[in-house]
Structures are given as structure tokens and as C-alpha cells.
Amino acid sequence: MDAVTNYFSEEKKESKFFAVIGLLACLLSVFCLGVSENSFLHGISYAFISIGAVQIVVGATIYLRSDIDTVRVNHYIERDQKSITDDEIPRMTLLIRDLLLYRQVEIVVSVLGLILFVSFSTKDITSGIGLGLAIQSSVMLFWDIMSEKRASEYLKYLNSLS
């Protein structure tokens, strides 16, 4: 499998899993909100729904775009090398920069979530929101680190073409 197909294939696989995690988080949250009166579980559910919705949208967007991106970049390689330098390398450079920013935000949200969880140890709604944020932000952090690693390798490949 060539580098372009491999990169977008892995992105597609990860994005599907990412969207499924978001969907499961939302479904679990709706269930907990519907059957439980526990404010701690409600807090976790609010955080899970908020971040889970982001995971669904981002995962679905990447999943639906990956095949088109594979065709587009392979076309660049075969017939339009200038677009590698003018379009794809800048796009990937920006993506990596964005992933670094996302990582910083996810670390801050995870830490703030843990602080809320520990500070409000009475297991109230605020403590639940804190735990939910810490868990979901950590999941997002893991996936973004994996995506950044893959994107960096792909960018090296692109740079070798120019």
C-alpha cells in the first residue's frame, strides 16, 4: 500500500472508531439522564454528550472525506506535482499545528476536569462534570496524538516528493 493510501486509510479507520466512541458516550449519557436522578451521573453525562457530539461530527467528517482525499492526492502525484507543494504540504503543516493546539487544550481541560472532580468530592454535578471532562478529553488527547504522529510521517513523505 502506498503512503497516500495508507495515511488516508488509517485516518478513515481511526475516524470511524472516534465517531463510534462519541456515539456510545452520547447514548450512555442519554440513558443515564433518563433513568438516574443521581446528580454525579448527570454531570458525567453532560460532559460526555458535549464532547461526544464533537467526536461524532469530527469522526464522520474525516471518514466521509478520506476516500476523496486519497483520490485527490494521488492525482496530484500522478499529474499535478505543483499541487503537492502548493496545496497538500501547507494543508498538512496547518493540520499538524492545529493538532498541537488541540493537544494543549485537551491537556488543560483534562487537568481542569480532574481539579473539579477532586475539589468537589461530594459526588455532585460539578464533580461529575469534572470526571466526564477528564475522561473525554483524555480520549481525545490520545487520538490526536496518534493522528499527529501519522500526519508527521505523511508530511515527511510529501516533502520527499517536492
Side-chain angles (χ1 to χ4, degrees), residues 79-103:
R79 296 194 176 102
D80 188 11
Q81 285 277 324
K82 187 170 177 351
S83 291
I84 296 287
T85 305
D86 293 349
D87 298 329
E88 190 64 4
I89 289 174
R91 186 185 79 80
M92 291 307 298
T93 302
L94 179 62
L95 173 66
I96 291 169
R97 188 178 75 211
D98 288 349
L99 287 168
L100 291 171
L101 174 63
Y102 301 158
R103 182 179 355 155

CSV table of all heavy atoms in Angstrom, one decimal, residues 79-103:
chain,number,residue,atom,x,y,z
A,79,ARG,N,-0.3,13.7,-11.8
A,79,ARG,CA,-0.5,14.7,-12.8
A,79,ARG,C,-0.3,16.1,-12.5
A,79,ARG,O,-0.4,17.0,-13.4
A,79,ARG,CB,-1.9,14.5,-13.4
A,79,ARG,CG,-2.1,13.2,-14.0
A,79,ARG,CD,-3.4,13.2,-14.8
A,79,ARG,NE,-3.6,11.9,-15.5
A,79,ARG,CZ,-4.4,10.9,-15.1
A,79,ARG,NH1,-5.1,11.1,-14.0
A,79,ARG,NH2,-4.4,9.8,-15.8
A,80,ASP,N,-0.1,16.4,-11.2
A,80,ASP,CA,-0.1,17.8,-10.8
A,80,ASP,C,0.9,18.0,-9.6
A,80,ASP,O,0.4,18.4,-8.5
A,80,ASP,CB,-1.5,18.3,-10.5
A,80,ASP,CG,-1.6,19.8,-10.2
A,80,ASP,OD1,-0.7,20.5,-10.5
A,80,ASP,OD2,-2.7,20.2,-9.7
A,81,GLN,N,2.1,17.7,-9.8
A,81,GLN,CA,3.1,17.8,-8.7
A,81,GLN,C,3.2,19.1,-8.0
A,81,GLN,O,3.4,19.2,-6.8
A,81,GLN,CB,4.5,17.4,-9.2
A,81,GLN,CG,4.7,16.0,-9.6
A,81,GLN,CD,5.1,15.2,-8.3
A,81,GLN,OE1,5.8,15.7,-7.5
A,81,GLN,NE2,4.7,14.0,-8.3
A,82,LYS,N,2.9,20.2,-8.7
A,82,LYS,CA,2.9,21.5,-8.1
A,82,LYS,C,1.9,21.6,-7.0
A,82,LYS,O,2.1,22.3,-6.0
A,82,LYS,CB,2.7,22.6,-9.2
A,82,LYS,CG,2.9,24.0,-8.7
A,82,LYS,CD,2.8,25.0,-9.9
A,82,LYS,CE,2.9,26.4,-9.5
A,82,LYS,NZ,2.8,26.9,-8.2
A,83,SER,N,0.8,20.9,-7.1
A,83,SER,CA,-0.2,21.0,-6.0
A,83,SER,C,0.2,20.3,-4.7
A,83,SER,O,-0.3,20.7,-3.7
A,83,SER,CB,-1.5,20.4,-6.5
A,83,SER,OG,-2.1,21.2,-7.5
A,84,ILE,N,1.2,19.4,-4.8
A,84,ILE,CA,1.7,18.8,-3.6
A,84,ILE,C,2.4,20.0,-2.8
A,84,ILE,O,2.1,20.1,-1.6
A,84,ILE,CB,2.8,17.7,-3.9
A,84,ILE,CG1,2.1,16.6,-4.6
A,84,ILE,CG2,3.5,17.3,-2.7
A,84,ILE,CD1,1.3,15.7,-3.8
A,85,THR,N,3.2,20.8,-3.4
A,85,THR,CA,3.9,21.9,-2.8
A,85,THR,C,2.9,23.0,-2.4
A,85,THR,O,3.0,23.6,-1.3
A,85,THR,CB,5.0,22.4,-3.7
A,85,THR,OG1,5.9,21.3,-4.0
A,85,THR,CG2,5.8,23.4,-3.0
A,86,ASP,N,2.1,23.3,-3.3
A,86,ASP,CA,1.2,24.5,-3.1
A,86,ASP,C,0.0,24.2,-2.2
A,86,ASP,O,-0.5,25.1,-1.6
A,86,ASP,CB,0.7,25.0,-4.5
A,86,ASP,CG,1.8,25.6,-5.4
A,86,ASP,OD1,2.9,25.8,-4.9
A,86,ASP,OD2,1.5,25.8,-6.6
A,87,ASP,N,-0.5,23.0,-2.2
A,87,ASP,CA,-1.8,22.7,-1.5
A,87,ASP,C,-1.6,21.7,-0.4
A,87,ASP,O,-2.0,22.0,0.8
A,87,ASP,CB,-2.8,22.2,-2.5
A,87,ASP,CG,-3.2,23.2,-3.6
A,87,ASP,OD1,-3.1,24.4,-3.3
A,87,ASP,OD2,-3.5,22.8,-4.7
A,88,GLU,N,-1.1,20.5,-0.7
A,88,GLU,CA,-1.1,19.4,0.3
A,88,GLU,C,-0.1,19.6,1.4
A,88,GLU,O,-0.4,19.4,2.6
A,88,GLU,CB,-0.9,18.1,-0.4
A,88,GLU,CG,-1.1,16.9,0.5
A,88,GLU,CD,-2.6,16.7,1.0
A,88,GLU,OE1,-3.5,17.5,0.6
A,88,GLU,OE2,-2.8,15.8,1.8
A,89,ILE,N,1.1,20.1,1.1
A,89,ILE,CA,2.1,20.3,2.2
A,89,ILE,C,1.6,21.4,3.1
A,89,ILE,O,1.7,21.2,4.3
A,89,ILE,CB,3.5,20.5,1.6
A,89,ILE,CG1,4.0,19.2,1.0
A,89,ILE,CG2,4.4,21.1,2.6
A,89,ILE,CD1,5.4,19.3,0.3
A,90,PRO,N,1.1,22.6,2.6
A,90,PRO,CA,0.6,23.6,3.5
A,90,PRO,C,-0.6,23.1,4.3
A,90,PRO,O,-0.7,23.4,5.5
A,90,PRO,CB,0.2,24.8,2.6
A,90,PRO,CG,1.1,24.6,1.4
A,90,PRO,CD,1.2,23.1,1.2
A,91,ARG,N,-1.4,22.3,3.7
A,91,ARG,CA,-2.6,21.8,4.4
A,91,ARG,C,-2.2,20.9,5.6
A,91,ARG,O,-2.7,21.0,6.7
A,91,ARG,CB,-3.5,21.0,3.5
A,91,ARG,CG,-4.8,20.5,4.1
A,91,ARG,CD,-5.6,19.6,3.1
A,91,ARG,NE,-5.1,18.3,3.1
A,91,ARG,CZ,-5.3,17.3,4.0
A,91,ARG,NH1,-6.1,17.6,5.0
A,91,ARG,NH2,-4.8,16.1,3.8
A,92,MET,N,-1.2,20.0,5.3
A,92,MET,CA,-0.7,19.1,6.4
A,92,MET,C,0.1,19.9,7.5
A,92,MET,O,0.0,19.6,8.6
A,92,MET,CB,0.1,18.0,5.8
A,92,MET,CG,-0.7,17.0,5.0
A,92,MET,SD,-2.1,16.3,5.8
A,92,MET,CE,-1.3,15.5,7.2
A,93,THR,N,0.8,20.9,7.1
A,93,THR,CA,1.5,21.7,8.0
A,93,THR,C,0.6,22.4,9.0
A,93,THR,O,0.8,22.4,10.2
A,93,THR,CB,2.4,22.7,7.3
A,93,THR,OG1,3.3,22.0,6.4
A,93,THR,CG2,3.2,23.6,8.3
A,94,LEU,N,-0.5,22.9,8.4
A,94,LEU,CA,-1.5,23.6,9.2
A,94,LEU,C,-2.2,22.6,10.1
A,94,LEU,O,-2.5,22.8,11.3
A,94,LEU,CB,-2.6,24.3,8.3
A,94,LEU,CG,-3.7,25.0,9.0
A,94,LEU,CD1,-3.2,26.1,9.9
A,94,LEU,CD2,-4.7,25.5,8.0
A,95,LEU,N,-2.5,21.4,9.6
A,95,LEU,CA,-3.2,20.3,10.4
A,95,LEU,C,-2.3,20.0,11.6
A,95,LEU,O,-2.8,19.9,12.7
A,95,LEU,CB,-3.4,19.1,9.6
A,95,LEU,CG,-4.0,17.9,10.3
A,95,LEU,CD1,-5.3,18.1,10.9
A,95,LEU,CD2,-4.0,16.6,9.5
A,96,ILE,N,-1.0,19.8,11.4
A,96,ILE,CA,-0.1,19.4,12.5
A,96,ILE,C,-0.1,20.6,13.5
A,96,ILE,O,-0.1,20.3,14.7
A,96,ILE,CB,1.3,19.1,12.0
A,96,ILE,CG1,1.2,17.7,11.2
A,96,ILE,CG2,2.3,19.0,13.1
A,96,ILE,CD1,2.4,17.4,10.4
A,97,ARG,N,0.0,21.8,13.1
A,97,ARG,CA,-0.1,22.9,14.0
A,97,ARG,C,-1.4,22.9,14.8
A,97,ARG,O,-1.4,23.1,16.0
A,97,ARG,CB,0.1,24.2,13.3
A,97,ARG,CG,0.3,25.4,14.2
A,97,ARG,CD,0.5,26.7,13.5
A,97,ARG,NE,-0.8,27.1,13.0
A,97,ARG,CZ,-1.0,27.8,11.9
A,97,ARG,NH1,0.1,28.2,11.1
A,97,ARG,NH2,-2.2,28.2,11.5
A,98,ASP,N,-2.5,22.7,14.1
A,98,ASP,CA,-3.8,22.6,14.8
A,98,ASP,C,-3.8,21.5,15.8
A,98,ASP,O,-4.3,21.6,16.9
A,98,ASP,CB,-4.9,22.5,13.8
A,98,ASP,CG,-5.2,23.7,13.0
A,98,ASP,OD1,-4.6,24.8,13.3
A,98,ASP,OD2,-5.9,23.6,12.0
A,99,LEU,N,-3.3,20.3,15.5
A,99,LEU,CA,-3.3,19.2,16.4
A,99,LEU,C,-2.4,19.5,17.6
A,99,LEU,O,-2.8,19.1,18.7
A,99,LEU,CB,-2.7,17.9,15.7
A,99,LEU,CG,-3.7,17.3,14.7
A,99,LEU,CD1,-3.0,16.3,13.8
A,99,LEU,CD2,-4.9,16.7,15.4
A,100,LEU,N,-1.4,20.3,17.5
A,100,LEU,CA,-0.6,20.7,18.7
A,100,LEU,C,-1.4,21.6,19.6
A,100,LEU,O,-1.4,21.5,20.8
A,100,LEU,CB,0.7,21.4,18.2
A,100,LEU,CG,1.8,20.5,17.6
A,100,LEU,CD1,2.9,21.4,17.0
A,100,LEU,CD2,2.3,19.5,18.5
A,101,LEU,N,-2.2,22.5,19.0
A,101,LEU,CA,-3.0,23.4,19.8
A,101,LEU,C,-4.1,22.5,20.5
A,101,LEU,O,-4.4,22.7,21.6
A,101,LEU,CB,-3.7,24.4,18.9
A,101,LEU,CG,-4.7,25.3,19.5
A,101,LEU,CD1,-4.1,26.1,20.6
A,101,LEU,CD2,-5.4,26.2,18.5
A,102,TYR,N,-4.7,21.6,19.7
A,102,TYR,CA,-5.8,20.7,20.3
A,102,TYR,C,-5.2,20.0,21.5
A,102,TYR,O,-5.9,19.8,22.5
A,102,TYR,CB,-6.3,19.7,19.3
A,102,TYR,CG,-7.0,20.3,18.1
A,102,TYR,CD1,-7.1,19.6,16.9
A,102,TYR,CD2,-7.4,21.6,18.0
A,102,TYR,CE1,-7.7,20.1,15.8
A,102,TYR,CE2,-8.0,22.2,16.9
A,102,TYR,CZ,-8.1,21.4,15.8
A,102,TYR,OH,-8.7,21.9,14.6
A,103,ARG,N,-4.0,19.5,21.3
A,103,ARG,CA,-3.3,18.7,22.4
A,103,ARG,C,-3.2,19.6,23.7
A,103,ARG,O,-3.5,19.2,24.8
A,103,ARG,CB,-2.0,18.2,22.0
A,103,ARG,CG,-1.3,17.4,23.1
A,103,ARG,CD,0.0,16.8,22.9
A,103,ARG,NE,0.6,17.0,21.5
A,103,ARG,CZ,1.9,16.9,21.3
A,103,ARG,NH1,2.7,16.8,22.3
A,103,ARG,NH2,2.4,17.1,20.1
